[in-house]
Amino acid sequence: MIESTYFWTTTVFLGIGTFLIRGLFIFLSSKIKISERTKEILSFIPASILPAMVSPMVFYHQGEVGLLCHKERLVILILAVVFCYFVRNMLLTLGFGLGLLFLLTQI
């Protein structure tokens, strides 16, 4: 177990570092001119983060359900994509996918 002093010291320094990095970026953004091409490239970052977070959870997870050869998360991902296509609601899709994962792991 980590000592309380080390935990809070680390937490404070990480908080200060995060604040400085973000604050510096915001401060310098008014002083630096960014080209339209760079703005366009940076606009794709949020769309690329979601697959980068989801892919390891789906493809590198060792499942526990022998029924689907340990690929239940891939099947659920495909079903959730189809569900999202018809429903067009991300919150319902998350609930649908998590519910299916719970049901498949409890069988």
Side-chain angles (χ1 to χ4, degrees), residues 44-82:
F44 292 112
I45 290 175
S48 66
I49 289 174
L50 184 62
M53 290 181 354
V54 170
S55 296
M57 289 187 285
V58 171
F59 296 109
Y60 297 116
H61 173 73
Q62 294 298 323
E64 299 171 358
V65 179
L67 176 70
L68 297 172
C69 298
H70 306 295
K71 294 297 179 194
E72 69 275 357
R73 291 182 182 221
L74 179 60
V75 172
I76 291 170
L77 175 67
I78 294 168
L79 291 174
V81 167
V82 171

Side-chain angles (χ1 to χ4, degrees), residues 8-25:
W8 287 111
T9 305
T10 304
T11 302
V12 167
F13 280 124
L14 287 174
I16 291 171
T18 302
F19 181 76
L20 287 175
I21 290 170
R22 292 180 185 191
L24 186 63
F25 182 73

Side-chain angles (χ1 to χ4, degrees), residues 2 37 41 53 57 82 103:
I2 189 169
R37 178 71 177 144
I41 291 170
M53 290 181 354
M57 289 187 285
V82 171
L103 288 174

